[in-house]
Amino acid sequence: MAVFKIVLYGDEVLREKARPVAKITPNIHKLLDNLRDTMYHARGVGLAAPQIGVSKRVIVVDTGEGLIELINPEIVEARGEETDTEGCLSLPNVVGEVTRAAEVRVKGLDRHGNPVEHHARGFLARALQHEIDHLDGILFIDRAVRIRRVKPGA
């Protein structure tokens, strides 16, 4: 298990547009494994490569329905609108009310380079949008209508 330190708000890598993955290599497999291990260790539901200091378009998400690994993900369709509370491992003890699409269709590659597509609603749709935003240097606080601090562990 490889658990990495999560990059915190203020680090420049969180504001960069991450580079696309041109070729799936053993290093990309290792990056996916590291993201997964770090996300689970931190008890998160998603993590993007920039959050461990790697400027590549790679994310992992698990909202309780199983692990999703995506390389070069992109939202190809979005419908509806929902506002809900979000937090982020890179901004501990901060939450905000964020409006996002209620339903999305996301395309990308799996760890073997095969094209995959996910249709998601609700919490999974929100998590995918949140992590894909990280790949474009966008944080949830940029989209939040209200931001507040919460007590650690709350």
Side-chain angles (χ1 to χ4, degrees):
M1 182 160 108
V3 174
F4 281 67
K5 183 178 177 188
I6 294 174
V7 172
L8 297 178
Y9 177 69
D11 192 302
E12 290 179 16
V13 71
L14 293 175
R15 292 302 192 174
E16 294 173 7
K17 187 168 176 93
R19 294 184 309 276
V21 174
K23 184 177 180 186
I24 311 280
T25 64
N27 283 340
I28 296 301
H29 291 169
K30 185 185 255 187
L31 174 59
L32 285 164
D33 294 342
N34 293 341
L35 285 168
R36 178 200 63 220
D37 293 348
T38 303
M39 175 187 71
Y40 286 142
H41 183 264
R43 294 192 170 106
V45 297
L47 199 64
Q51 290 182 275
I52 62 168
V54 179
S55 185
K56 293 201 181 288
R57 298 189 74 78
V58 179
I59 65 170
V60 295
V61 173
D62 187 347
T63 60
E65 301 169 33
L67 181 67
I68 295 173
E69 300 175 319
L70 285 171
I71 299 164
N72 299 331
E74 59 180 303
I75 298 168
V76 294
E77 188 177 347
R79 288 193 211 142
E81 208 174 76
E82 290 180 345
T83 302
D84 206 347
T85 304
E86 287 186 28
C88 180
L89 295 171
S90 291
L91 288 105
N93 310 317
V94 176
V95 297
E97 299 299 315
V98 180
T99 300
R100 295 201 184 267
E103 187 176 341
V104 293
R105 188 164 55 100
V106 175
K107 287 185 175 183
L109 302 174
D110 69 11
R111 71 168 38 234
H112 306 291
N114 299 314
V116 292
E117 186 174 304
H118 293 276
H119 296 264
R121 290 189 203 140
F123 188 39
L124 178 57
R126 178 170 296 278
L128 287 166
Q129 291 170 84
H130 178 111
E131 298 311 328
I132 291 170
D133 269 357
H134 272 297
L135 303 180
D136 293 320
I138 300 167
L139 302 175
F140 84 92
I141 56 173
D142 301 328
R143 298 189 185 278
V145 291
R146 270 188 308 281
I147 300 168
R148 63 183 162 80
R149 293 204 170 274
V150 293
K151 292 181 180 177

